[in-house]
Amino acid sequence: MNVLVIGAGGREHALAYKLNQSNLVKQVFVIPGNEAMTPIAEVHTEISESDHQGILDFAKQQNVDWVVIGPEQPLIDGLADILRANGFKVFGPNKQAAQIEGSKLFAKKIMEKYNIPTADYKEVERKKDALTYIENCEFPVVVKKDGLAAGKGVIIADTIEAARSAIEIMYGDEEEDTVVFETFLEGEEFSLMTFVNGELAVPFDCIAQDHKRAFDHDEGPNTGGMGAYCPVPHISDDVLKLTNETIAQPIAKAMLNEGYQFFGVLYIGAILTKDGPKVIEFNARFGDPEAQVLLSRMESDLMQHIIDLDEGKRTEFKWKNEAIVGVMLASKGYPDAYEKGHKVSGFDLNENYFVSGLKKQGDTFVTSGGRVILAIGKGDNVHDAQRDAYEKVSQIQSDHLFYRHDIANKALQLK
């Protein structure tokens, strides 16, 4: 069959790589993709992921059987709806169901209604009300922009001064916008991907752990993710089972009860608190960079899993007997302002590197985004995989990239 992947980042690079391995797949196309994907897919950078008509025309011309949508924005914009209305199979939720990621407030309200464990929250719609709220709230407090923010619309404020600064960032020059304040939760964070088709929810039996902050020791601003690893040995199978029982299954049923038919992967960003697992956020797609490490470890056929889900079957995942660690190299200045066009070399176009922000300039690759490339390490355990990942990092040559030095340390109980 012919499969079209939508998106241009490292997550889509990993999706294309994994789908290309399937015996069920004849040809993988990627729109817009990036030039690092060319060994495994036919890349069409001339079509934008926001060009819904162009994507539809391409899918018709190439007799595409399945479309796999990687990023959140096309889902929020209703690309899945347009494709399905024209007879295409799509792995990714429709516009209504994608609100679970598109609106923090939507997610909080549905969790509140169905008693799904999460932090207490307060919604405000005006800047002046937000400034009033922080006068008497408990610190630290989590400040979230309601809509999409590429993983960067969350600020943890430890003081009232930090909260005021967060409010200025969230509102900018606007006086009205929806912002959600949440009680700060303490505990160990983890990411659980769950395949969902209506009421059927099939969680991965392997979780990953992301590293959101820009710098070592979880310091600096939130990012889209500076690295991830799997499995997470210090979070037990009992916790995974409890997360499934109290979060994954209930949210699938809640969405269906509310009239939202979800088909695709639901990302559960969870935290293990003293009161058990609670939801930090939902995404309507694979996490990035969690997708890269999880799909690297997945031994079974991703395309077969998608087909099984479509047919309402409870698919069984198989995993390689190894650990995977991914370290993200990002442009200096990210997640704030950064320069583009800096040369990057020393890496191979294979399963050891997934590219997020590079483009070809002549015969060389130059930076074109904030997060640039993820180096993948593999080993019999997390320690060996971490060492391998940083060896892969050391091979990359560039004068304008930075990375964290402590990815996966939590699993090793290192300081």
Side-chain angles (χ1 to χ4, degrees):
M1 65 179 69
N2 294 330
V3 180
L4 170 60
V5 176
I6 304 298
R11 166 184 48 222
E12 291 74 43
H13 193 172
L15 283 166
Y17 190 89
K18 185 63 178 171
L19 290 166
N20 186 59
Q21 292 179 329
S22 173
N23 292 327
L24 301 171
V25 176
K26 177 183 177 182
Q27 176 68 59
V28 178
F29 303 99
V30 189
I31 293 176
N34 65 60
E35 289 148 314
M37 301 180 189
T38 53
I40 54 168
E42 186 177 302
V43 177
H44 288 270
T45 56
E46 75 278 6
I47 306 174
S48 166
E49 69 182 38
S50 62
D51 181 5
H52 293 184
Q53 187 60 49
I55 292 169
L56 178 60
D57 292 343
F58 180 88
K60 290 178 178 178
Q61 292 163 6
Q62 298 297 331
N63 297 313
V64 167
D65 298 286
W66 273 93
V67 181
V68 178
I69 302 176
E72 59 271 26
Q73 195 64 59
L75 295 169
I76 300 299
D77 293 342
L79 176 58
D81 305 65
I82 293 169
L83 290 166
R84 286 194 178 102
N86 284 272
F88 290 99
K89 294 276 193 180
V90 183
F91 185 71
N94 60 30
K95 184 175 183 177
Q96 276 198 321
Q99 291 179 88
I100 195 76
E101 175 172 7
S103 170
K104 306 288 193 306
L105 188 57
F106 174 91
K108 297 301 285 190
K109 286 186 173 181
I110 202 167
M111 285 188 281
E112 183 178 45
K113 181 175 180 178
Y114 289 90
N115 296 313
I116 295 169
T118 187
D120 294 335
Y121 74 100
K122 170 71 175 179
E123 64 175 289
V124 297
E125 296 181 351
R126 291 180 296 182
K127 186 176 183 179
K128 67 175 186 179
D129 293 336
L131 291 168
T132 299
Y133 175 77
I134 62 172
E135 293 292 332
N136 296 301
C137 74
E138 291 186 7
F139 291 96
V141 66
V142 182
V143 189
K144 294 184 176 182
K145 193 174 182 65
D146 181 48
L148 295 179
K152 294 169 282 188
V154 179
I155 297 175
I156 300 171
D158 294 312
T159 64
I160 191 168
E161 291 79 12
R164 289 194 187 106
S165 175
I167 290 168
E168 292 297 329
I169 291 170
M170 298 295 179
Y171 280 92
D173 296 330
E174 302 296 324
E175 290 298 322
E176 293 190 5
D177 201 356
T178 302
V179 167
V180 177
F181 291 94
E182 289 187 3
T183 303
F184 178 75
L185 297 177
E186 290 192 31
E188 196 79 12
E189 295 184 27
F190 60 97
S191 305
L192 174 63
M193 309 298 156
T194 304
F195 275 18
V196 177
N197 182 359
E199 193 171 341
L200 175 65
V202 187
F204 282 19
D205 46 357
C206 174
I207 60 175
Q209 188 168 65
D210 189 15
H211 297 66
K212 284 290 188 186
R213 297 295 189 98
F215 307 124
D216 291 359
H217 313 299
D218 290 329
E219 295 180 357
N222 262 23
T223 70
M226 292 300 294
Y229 67 95
C230 70
V232 184
H234 55 292
I235 294 181
S236 69
D237 289 342
D238 288 341
V239 172
L240 181 57
K241 181 180 178 183
L242 188 58
T243 306
N244 179 37
E245 292 172 352
T246 61
I247 298 172
Q249 302 301 325
I251 191 61
K253 292 178 182 178
M255 291 286 283
L256 195 62
N257 287 347
E258 293 296 307
Y260 304 107
Q261 175 66 38
F262 193 105
F263 179 81
V265 62
L266 180 68
Y267 167 110
I268 302 171
I271 184 167
L272 180 57
T273 73
K274 60 181 177 60
D275 299 317
K278 294 187 177 184
V279 176
I280 297 175
E281 64 175 348
F282 289 119
N283 293 158
R285 39 72 190 182
F286 277 104
D288 181 347
E290 294 99 326
Q292 291 92 305
V293 297
L294 287 164
L295 294 175
S296 293
R297 188 170 187 253
M298 183 182 286
E299 186 172 19
S300 46
D301 188 325
L302 176 61
M303 192 67 243
Q304 185 63 61
H305 291 319
I306 292 172
I307 292 169
D308 287 347
L309 185 71
D310 184 51
E311 295 176 352
K313 298 177 182 176
R314 186 169 290 278
T315 192
E316 291 187 11
F317 305 101
K318 293 182 181 178
W319 306 96
K320 299 171 185 174
N321 189 27
E322 61 183 2
I324 309 290
V325 174
V327 179
M328 184 68 72
L329 291 90
S331 297
K332 290 180 179 178
Y334 174 81
D336 298 319
Y338 56 86
E339 296 178 359
K340 298 180 181 180
H342 290 267
K343 183 179 177 181
V344 180
S345 62
F347 63 93
D348 297 314
L349 296 182
N350 56 27
E351 72 276 11
N352 295 326
Y353 298 98
F354 292 116
V355 169
S356 298
L358 288 174
K359 68 176 182 179
K360 269 287 186 70
Q361 194 173 80
D363 293 330
T364 62
F365 280 100
V366 299
T367 58
S368 61
R371 293 189 300 165
V372 173
I373 186 170
L374 186 83
I376 291 287
K378 303 173 184 178
D380 291 336
N381 50 56
V382 174
H383 180 272
D384 290 348
Q386 183 195 55
R387 182 175 56 192
D388 187 44
Y390 282 105
E391 286 180 2
K392 299 292 195 310
V393 169
S394 70
Q395 295 171 19
I396 296 177
Q397 299 170 17
S398 175
D399 62 353
H400 209 75
L401 298 179
F402 79 97
Y403 58 91
R404 284 182 56 160
H405 302 80
D406 61 349
I407 303 301
N409 272 11
K410 289 181 180 178
L412 305 175
Q413 297 180 329
L414 300 178
K415 300 298 182 182

